[in-house]
Amino acid sequence: MHAMLTLHVDELVDLERDLRADRGEIEDLAVSIIELGLLEPLIVVPDGSTGDAGRYVIHAGHRRRDAILRACALLATDPQRFGLTAEHAAARIEALQQVPCLVRPDLAGRDALTQIAENGERVGLTDAERARGLQMALDDGLDIATIARATGVKPATVRAAQKVAALPDAAREALDSGQVGLDEIAALDEFADDEKALARILRSSHIEFAVAEERRKRQRAADTAALRQRLADEGYTIVKRPKDFPYSSRETELDRLSDEDGRTLTVEAHGKLDGHAVFIDAQHYGGPAAVHICTDPEAHGHTRRFRNGYVSPAEAAAKEAEAQLARERAEQMAAAREVRAKFLRSLIGSQKAAAKHLDLLCTITARWPSVLDDAHRHPYAGQLLGEVESWTPGRLQQHAVATAVLAIDWIAEGGRRWRIDEDAALWWWQRLAELGYDLTPAEIAHRDRQQATLDQRRAAEAAEETGNEQDDELADEVDWQDLDPEDVGPEGRIPGTASDASPVDDNTSVPDQHEVEASRDSGSSGSGPDTGRERAA
């Protein structure tokens, strides 16, 4: 049976191992005690450390004892605040200093558990304080199960508190500040050896997500290391991921290359050959993956089955040479334009001159009406078109002729770079010469290149037309009567003819097997060997 004693407040002493670093605000509690008195007794244990039988150690109720002292101070300094005279305040002070206490000698040596059990369900203990208390209980020799039963916390929480002492300072500071809770702090133990990972976790606004993310990173790193070791053991040459792979790198995956015979390269046959290597794609969505590559396909005689943005040194040099040639030609044509502009001014610079060249307007407008929109793009459009103040018939006529001439001239020079109309350009160069203009060497070379382009295009069109005619002739010569049904390919294609690459004309009826056999029977009964051929003809 535990004794209930009334002890003077001066007989009460603090625990040496008080869990609370800060006992918080006690002003409101002090006022409540003045008004209602102490509603709950303190739990004390006789002080055995000094042998003084008149002193008791507080195990539960430190804040209440502090609030009593504060209440006495308030009554002594401002009794009127509470509607009391000085005499009544002194009597209340004397009463408050007599503190009801429950004496519990059996709690001696169990101060850590007492504080946790007494304060754990109150707003008093922070997670950091609870962790310290659980660790103190462990230091007292109590096991995790006993501590969990006595305090009502989960065994996992006790184990988490056990790990706090071994955590880096940053983790303990996060616990002290309330940034992380005691349940979360246990997960940080596995990152105690990785300060950077721990810092990333503590910077996150969602600790649980950050921990899961770091675990995935660790697992991916472990899988990458295991894959690297396996590849090394198997004898592959391991390299870093090439720069700009796979979009514009020289290196290319083996299965995107073919050998001299057109066969696709394989890892099994080519993975360990000279010039072939492997890198690890650690960010592959399915986990770290080995990517087998050729470091220089052209140097090893391979053909790229699929093009990427890679430009070989030879190609780069050729492109640069081509670009330099284009710049030089552009400079030459710009100089030639200044010479040609003087001649154009003689054609369209006045209403009288323009009136002599209405044929140019008619021809250009009739044959190439779409070029007229390009007149304003001509570098001399501002000078030769100018601002129109009044649209007189003569000015209107001059403007129309000038528009057509400037448009065709700009097309001929190659101003519309996305599409050059060689027919229009060549006509204009010829017409200029007929009008008396002496073409410069740059313009002659430019005209010759346009003529060559036009000749090539026409040759290609003629070859395509010839091929189509040959296909039509071959199709007309087919004797469907004598054709074995097995010789007719899918979609009516006939092996051995040009039409083998394309379906038979839709208007041609392809006989089925019964029709062919019936035709053969009729031929053998007296129709003659040429009957089927004549019908086909």
Side-chain angles (χ1 to χ4, degrees), residues 357-434:
H357 300 293
L358 293 177
D359 62 314
L360 297 179
L361 170 63
C362 295
T363 302
I364 296 169
T365 304
R367 294 184 62 181
W368 304 288
S370 64
V371 307
L372 297 177
D373 291 337
D374 290 284
H376 70 283
R377 302 180 188 276
H378 197 288
Y380 288 96
Q383 298 179 26
L384 298 178
L385 287 177
E387 295 292 335
V388 180
E389 296 181 358
S390 61
W391 289 100
T392 63
R395 185 69 182 91
L396 180 63
Q397 179 177 268
Q398 178 193 6
H399 191 274
V401 175
T403 297
V405 167
L406 290 176
I408 199 72
D409 189 76
W410 185 236
I411 293 298
E413 186 176 326
R416 185 192 283 182
R417 301 188 183 280
W418 64 91
R419 182 181 181 278
I420 304 299
D421 192 327
E422 291 86 4
D423 288 317
L426 292 170
W427 175 86
W428 180 238
W429 294 125
Q430 180 181 352
R431 195 74 184 91
L432 282 174
E434 293 171 352

Side-chain angles (χ1 to χ4, degrees), residues 39-205:
L39 300 180
E40 184 175 358
L42 279 60
I43 298 176
V44 299
V45 174
D47 186 7
S49 61
T50 61
D52 188 349
R55 294 170 61 85
Y56 293 83
V57 178
I58 302 173
H59 272 229
H62 292 86
R63 290 187 72 250
R64 279 167 282 161
R65 191 279 309 274
D66 290 350
I68 289 172
L69 295 176
R70 177 59 180 161
C72 293
L74 291 174
L75 288 170
T77 56
D78 190 10
Q80 294 181 351
R81 174 184 173 185
F82 305 99
L84 299 175
T85 63
E87 292 77 14
H88 287 128
R92 182 66 63 84
I93 291 172
E94 184 176 354
L96 290 177
Q97 289 176 338
Q98 302 300 316
V99 182
C101 298
L102 180 63
V103 182
R104 293 285 304 272
D106 59 308
L107 295 181
R110 298 169 68 88
D111 51 321
L113 295 180
T114 305
Q115 292 180 81
I116 295 172
E118 200 267 345
N119 292 295
E121 299 303 321
R122 300 171 181 256
V123 181
L125 290 179
T126 64
D127 278 350
E129 292 167 341
R130 183 175 290 105
R132 284 196 292 271
L134 293 172
Q135 184 58 53
M136 288 166 56
L138 291 167
D139 293 341
D140 289 339
L142 300 174
D143 58 42
I144 292 177
T146 300
I147 297 173
R149 285 195 302 271
T151 59
V153 301
K154 298 177 181 179
T157 304
V158 182
R159 285 190 289 270
Q162 196 174 19
K163 297 177 180 179
V164 170
L167 290 175
D169 293 341
R172 292 200 301 272
E173 290 171 1
L175 179 64
D176 290 340
S177 66
Q179 181 183 355
V180 296
L182 188 53
D183 293 335
E184 296 172 322
I185 204 71
L188 302 184
D189 178 63
E190 62 184 282
F191 302 100
D193 59 343
D194 190 342
E195 293 184 3
K196 292 183 178 180
L198 190 60
R200 288 192 295 268
I201 292 172
L202 294 177
R203 284 197 301 267
S204 174
S205 60

